[in-house]
Amino acid sequence: RVGWPLYRKYGHAYDAFKIALNTEAEEHADIFADMDITPEIKNDLLTYIKRRLAPQPVKIRADIEVTCFTYEGIDAIKAALGDGEDKSTSDCPVRIKLIAPPMYVMTCMTLDKEAGLEVMNQAIEAIAACIRSKGGSLDVKMAPKAVTQREESELQAMLDRLAMEQEEVDGDAPEDA
C-alpha cells in the first residue's frame, strides 16, 4: 500500500523518504497525498522515517604538537589551546586533550562535516597564531578529518597504554637507606 506507489512515483522509496524529511518543515509536499492511508499510519511512518534517516553525528579529529620553550612556557600553551577552544560553535564544540606532552588531540562532534572541518581549521590557525606570538611552535601531525569508530578505538588504546606506562612500578621509588 505504501512502498510500491512510492517506487513508481519517485523512482525509489528512499528518495521519497528524503523528500518527506526535507519538506516536513515547509509542509508543501506530502509524499503520501495520493495514497489511501489513515493519518495514524502516515504519522507512524513519518516518525519511523525520522528515526531511521536522521543525520548521524560525525567525529572530526586532528593531532597537533604544541611546544613553547620561552619563559612563558606552559602558560603560553594553555592560552593558545584556550584560543583554539574559543573557536567552538554551538554546532561544532572543539575539545582539546593532552595525549602526552607535547602531543594534543583536538576533537569535534557535529552533524555537518564541512562546517566541522572549517571550525577545526580555524581553531588550529588560532592556536598557531597565539603560540607563535609567544615564541612557541605548532606542528600539525594529523590534519582535521572525519574519523571512524576503528580509528577512535585505536586512539583510546594508545591513551590507555600511555596511562599504564605513566603509572609507578614497584622499584621506581628511591630506596630508604
Side-chain angles (χ1 to χ4, degrees), residues 2 4 9 11 13 27 92 95 101 108 113 137 150 153 161 165 175 177:
V2 175
W4 288 117
K9 186 172 180 183
E27 292 291 332
C92 304
R95 300 285 172 252
C108 170
K113 179 181 172 183
S137 67
R150 191 177 124 261
S153 62
R161 189 182 75 243
E165 290 172 1
E175 296 296 321

Side-chain angles (χ1 to χ4, degrees), residues 68-170:
C68 185
F69 297 110
T70 64
Y71 179 73
E72 293 182 54
I74 191 68
D75 292 331
I77 292 173
K78 283 180 184 179
L81 295 177
D83 284 359
E85 284 191 337
D86 290 345
K87 293 295 179 183
S88 294
T89 64
S90 59
D91 295 335
C92 304
V94 175
R95 300 285 172 252
I96 302 174
K97 289 185 196 172
L98 174 67
I99 296 178
M103 287 288 295
Y104 296 86
V105 63
M106 297 174 61
T107 58
C108 170
M109 289 291 284
T110 181
L111 294 174
D112 184 358
K113 179 181 172 183
E114 296 306 316
L117 290 171
E118 181 65 29
V119 167
M120 291 287 278
N121 283 321
Q122 289 174 2
I124 289 173
E125 289 169 13
I127 293 168
C130 183
I131 199 69
R132 287 185 182 129
S133 73
K134 298 182 181 193
S137 67
L138 175 128
D139 187 19
V140 178
K141 294 298 182 182
M142 183 180 84
K145 71 172 193 171
V147 292
T148 62
Q149 186 62 39
R150 191 177 124 261
E151 290 170 319
E152 200 54 36
S153 62
E154 287 173 0
L155 172 67
Q156 190 59 46
M158 183 175 72
L159 290 173
D160 292 343
R161 189 182 75 243
L162 288 170
M164 284 179 45
E165 290 172 1
Q166 294 294 324
E167 290 179 9
E168 281 195 34
V169 181
D170 251 2

Side-chain angles (χ1 to χ4, degrees), residues 4-65:
W4 288 117
L6 290 176
Y7 271 92
R8 281 193 289 278
K9 186 172 180 183
Y10 295 98
H12 199 285
Y14 181 76
D15 296 332
F17 295 156
K18 287 197 316 191
I19 291 170
L21 283 177
N22 291 335
T23 60
E24 186 181 67
E26 295 127 26
E27 292 291 332
H28 65 74
D30 182 10
I31 63 168
F32 304 112
D34 303 341
M35 293 179 213
D36 183 30
I37 59 173
T38 65
E40 183 180 292
I41 291 175
K42 177 182 168 183
N43 288 337
D44 287 346
L45 278 170
L46 285 173
T47 303
Y48 187 75
I49 290 168
K50 275 191 243 172
R51 187 173 46 237
R52 299 294 280 173
L53 295 182
Q56 298 298 313
V58 176
K59 186 165 200 167
I60 298 171
R61 181 178 133 203
D63 293 345
I64 59 173
E65 193 172 278

